[in-house]
Amino acid sequence: MSRAPAVILDAPQMGENIGAVARVMANFGLEDLRLVNPRDGWPQERAWAAASGAHWPLNAAPVHASVAEAIGDLQLVFAATARPRELALPVLTPRQAAAELAKAAASGIATGLLFGGERAGLETADIALCQAVVTIPIDPKFRSLNLAQAVAINAYEWRLTQDEQAPPAFRPGAPPASHEALMGLYEHLERELEAGGFFHPPEKTASMVQNLRAALGRAAFTDQEVRTLRGVVTALARGRGKVLEKLARREKGDEA
Amino acid sequence: MSRAPAVILDAPQMGENIGAVARVMANFGLEDLRLVNPRDGWPQERAWAAASGAHWPLNAAPVHASVAEAIGDLQLVFAATARPRELALPVLTPRQAAAELAKAAASGIATGLLFGGERAGLETADIALCQAVVTIPIDPKFRSLNLAQAVAINAYEWRLTQDEQAPPAFRPGAPPASHEALMGLYEHLERELEAGGFFHPPEKTASMVQNLRAALGRAAFTDQEVRTLRGVVTALARGRGKVLEKLARREKGDEA
């Protein structure tokens, strides 16, 4: 059996729902639960009460300050959300997503499923950190799906892939880089773009950043590629800094 | 669309669970809910509170005195239960069951899914009234599945049989850019990298170019993204050119 996907709950509101998520994770053999900013703090008694004995995912659940931090060590993360909104990310059914995750996990890749809070769902900036969106085929007449149910459907589909023994073939060669490494690349690029006056008009910065991250994220860069791309950013921006420095020194007159 | 299966809850204990069942039925387009001897009587306010607005299955739910009565008008009923016990009934996965139910419903056959109460499950005598058993593939290490979750998995599988239109496109929105547009991006990037001294040692240029192209190509950029990325390259390299120019002009002494 491959390592099951981590389940990341972003800003969950109700302790009962966190417990219900733990329970259904246990039903389908998942155990790596991670929380981002639970509304009512952590730990919460009501979560344990609602878990019907599935305490181990709760006992081990870390609390993170951001989605980026929570998925730092993961290499392939899908966001469970009804609407892909403006991001150009692949949209998968739970079945397709489970197949992708299983293939990846069978190759030793650390995977995760990201779920939004009960009311607000996920922020676009966090969806943009993921490699694809998983959309449950819900009746458009009644879209209000309970958080634990959304986890259940995806966990169930994951489990089916494990009963069928997926072949290990995510892709040839090196695995995708961790999200931490990706974030390093994104932030490096964005700093240099900021310096280069790319973000114009300034109020569009957030959406420009999101679109860039989503576009680049689709490539699922390896560690080596992330390093190369950081070199690319440095090489493109480099001359600028050096020449500016030289100019500054010259203006101050302290050059021979 | 065929008529969706009825959901029959035998001796449900908690009003919250009945409401959660109604909610998830609505999520997946089911509406015919039937109750057999609900422990706390009927109606129960807590059911409506838990349904998050999915009131119509609750409003219409009849209460029956026995499973036999509740399924009287149905023609094909499967019992959702973990253990087939001593009965010689076919055991189906939720997926197989949904396929059977959909085939039957498409021929105008009235179908149903029977679920037991939270603690006791179904009595063998009631299972024996059904045409098959549906067993959700649960981790044997933690079998305690919430009632609404069990309904969710089966309702989800039913809905998939009804969604015959192709699953959501691989991704929304724009198609990938042409290779011509991609080549424009690659060559633009590579010119600037060359100018920035990135290709080092020079004899490795060809393989570095190939690796970069392969990594970026995996993202299957759209036309809009290609334009954005060309802007990125320009923004990163821009200062360099301008400053160099300024420096050159200054060196020639033709600046005011």
Side-chain angles (χ1 to χ4, degrees):
Chain A
M1 267 239 213
S2 313
R3 184 171 150 204
V7 169
I8 305 105
L9 304 184
D10 180 33
Q13 300 188 304
M14 316 241 310
E16 290 86 342
N17 283 338
I18 301 174
V21 165
R23 178 176 177 181
V24 80
M25 286 174 66
N27 287 146
F28 294 114
L30 283 68
E31 52 188 29
D32 183 355
L33 174 64
R34 304 167 182 207
L35 306 174
V36 180
N37 297 323
R39 184 190 63 184
D40 300 334
W42 193 256
Q44 296 174 42
E45 256 179 55
R46 299 163 89 182
W48 272 261
S52 281
H55 293 164
W56 58 98
L58 299 174
N59 293 340
V63 174
H64 294 280
S66 67
V67 168
E69 183 187 304
I71 67 176
D73 61 317
L74 302 178
Q75 295 160 289
L76 186 72
V77 180
F78 295 162
T81 180
R83 290 157 300 152
R85 309 183 208 195
E86 62 270 29
L87 296 173
L89 284 177
V91 177
L92 307 175
T93 65
R95 189 160 303 169
Q96 293 166 332
E100 294 282 324
L101 292 171
K103 260 194 294 182
S107 314
I109 289 169
T111 64
L113 283 161
L114 172 64
F115 296 84
E118 288 88 336
R119 190 144 315 168
L122 289 170
E123 290 188 32
T124 307
D126 291 325
I127 301 173
L129 300 178
C130 298
Q131 277 64 54
V133 158
V134 195
T135 300
I136 295 175
I138 291 262
D139 191 326
K141 292 197 292 292
F142 189 72
R143 291 191 173 279
S144 163
L145 184 69
N146 172 268
L147 174 58
Q149 301 284 15
V151 175
I153 300 296
N154 283 287
Y156 159 75
E157 288 284 5
W158 160 264
R159 175 132 194 113
L160 292 185
T161 65
Q162 297 304 289
D163 290 347
E164 290 163 14
Q165 293 295 356
F170 177 62
R171 74 175 187 212
S178 70
H179 270 261
E180 199 177 357
L182 267 190
M183 283 302 296
L185 168 64
Y186 294 160
E187 288 168 0
H188 180 184
L189 172 63
E190 290 149 15
R191 271 196 310 276
E192 293 294 350
L193 286 174
E194 180 69 47
F198 178 76
F199 296 117
H200 182 77
E203 61 271 23
K204 289 226 169 151
T205 301
S207 73
M208 292 171 84
V209 160
Q210 278 165 20
N211 292 340
L212 264 179
R213 287 179 178 189
L216 294 171
R218 287 203 311 269
F221 297 125
T222 65
D223 272 320
Q224 176 56 56
E225 288 167 348
V226 166
R227 283 193 296 273
T228 301
L229 287 165
R230 293 194 67 154
V232 163
V233 174
T234 301
L236 291 174
R238 176 195 295 144
R240 186 170 64 192
K242 276 199 190 134
V243 175
L244 281 170
E245 240 171 70
K246 197 175 170 190
L247 194 64
R249 279 200 307 274
R250 186 164 295 193
E251 277 171 350
K252 285 201 291 178
D254 56 83
E255 199 168 68
Chain B
M1 266 235 213
S2 315
R3 184 172 149 203
V7 168
I8 306 105
L9 304 185
D10 181 32
Q13 300 188 302
M14 314 240 312
E16 289 87 341
N17 284 338
I18 302 173
V21 165
R23 179 177 178 180
V24 81
M25 287 175 64
N27 288 145
F28 295 114
L30 284 69
E31 51 188 28
D32 184 354
L33 174 64
R34 305 167 181 206
L35 306 174
V36 180
N37 297 324
R39 183 189 64 184
D40 300 334
W42 194 255
Q44 296 174 41
E45 255 180 56
R46 300 162 91 182
W48 272 260
S52 281
H55 293 163
W56 57 99
L58 299 174
N59 293 340
V63 175
H64 295 280
S66 68
V67 168
E69 183 186 305
I71 66 176
D73 62 317
L74 303 179
Q75 296 161 285
L76 185 73
V77 180
F78 296 162
T81 180
R83 291 155 299 153
R85 310 186 207 192
E86 63 269 30
L87 297 172
L89 282 178
V91 177
L92 307 174
T93 65
R95 191 161 302 170
Q96 293 165 333
E100 294 283 323
L101 292 171
K103 254 194 302 181
S107 317
I109 290 171
T111 64
L113 283 161
L114 172 64
F115 296 84
E118 289 89 336
R119 192 145 313 168
L122 289 169
E123 290 187 36
T124 306
D126 291 326
I127 301 173
L129 300 177
C130 298
Q131 279 64 54
V133 159
V134 194
T135 300
I136 295 175
I138 291 263
D139 192 326
K141 291 196 291 291
F142 189 73
R143 291 191 172 278
S144 163
L145 184 68
N146 173 267
L147 173 58
Q149 301 283 17
V151 175
I153 301 297
N154 283 288
Y156 159 75
E157 287 285 5
W158 160 266
R159 175 136 195 108
L160 291 187
T161 66
Q162 300 301 295
D163 275 349
E164 274 166 29
Q165 59 274 49
F170 177 65
R171 75 177 187 210
S178 69
H179 270 261
E180 195 178 359
L182 266 190
M183 283 305 295
L185 169 64
Y186 294 160
E187 288 167 359
H188 180 183
L189 173 64
E190 291 149 14
R191 271 195 310 276
E192 293 294 351
L193 286 174
E194 181 69 47
F198 179 76
F199 296 116
H200 181 78
E203 63 271 24
K204 289 224 168 152
T205 301
S207 73
M208 291 171 86
V209 161
Q210 276 165 23
N211 292 341
L212 262 180
R213 290 180 177 188
L216 293 171
R218 286 204 310 272
F221 297 124
T222 65
D223 271 321
Q224 176 56 54
E225 289 168 348
V226 165
R227 282 193 295 274
T228 301
L229 288 165
R230 294 195 65 155
V232 162
V233 174
T234 301
L236 289 174
R238 175 197 296 144
R240 187 171 63 195
K242 278 200 188 136
V243 175
L244 281 170
E245 241 170 68
K246 194 175 172 192
L247 195 65
R249 280 200 307 275
R250 187 165 294 196
E251 276 170 350
K252 286 202 291 175
D254 56 85
E255 200 167 64

